[in-house]
Amino acid sequence: MIVCRCEEVTYKELETTATKYKCSARELKLRTRAGMGYCGGRSCRTMIDKIATTSANTDHHTSVSLKYQPPVRPVSFGTLGGQD
């Protein structure tokens, strides 16, 4: 099952990496690139957090969850309306 559609990262890959390296959610993201695609983690961020806390069996339960950023750059309304 694919968790991160943008980077095509599977549940199995995330679970294996979290167990092997005892990763926090941030480390898991950096090792697998899950949550680093076009959507910026909007669709998979919560699943990555959950996998990291349940699979790693470490003290990362109190770690800060992953943030996400908008995938777009600021565009003026004039540009959108075609009035350059």
Side-chain angles (χ1 to χ4, degrees), residues 18-24 50-61:
T19 303
K20 182 177 180 180
Y21 296 105
K22 309 286 188 223
C23 296
S24 67
K50 186 172 183 170
I51 291 169
T53 56
T54 57
S55 296
N57 295 325
T58 62
D59 296 330
H60 295 299
H61 298 286

Side-chain angles (χ1 to χ4, degrees), residues 3-58:
V3 173
C4 177
R5 295 176 293 174
C6 300
E7 293 292 325
E8 296 182 1
V9 181
T10 63
Y11 180 84
K12 176 105 173 135
E13 183 180 351
L14 288 167
E15 191 175 50
T16 303
T17 303
T19 303
K20 182 177 180 180
Y21 296 105
K22 309 286 188 223
C23 296
S24 67
R26 177 161 169 67
E27 291 171 312
L28 188 59
K29 177 181 173 181
L30 294 173
R31 286 186 183 274
T32 62
R33 293 206 37 88
M36 297 176 114
Y38 180 74
C39 79
R42 287 186 179 177
S43 61
C44 60
R45 180 174 43 100
T46 55
M47 183 63 81
I48 295 167
D49 279 339
K50 186 172 183 170
I51 291 169
T53 56
T54 57
S55 296
N57 295 325
T58 62

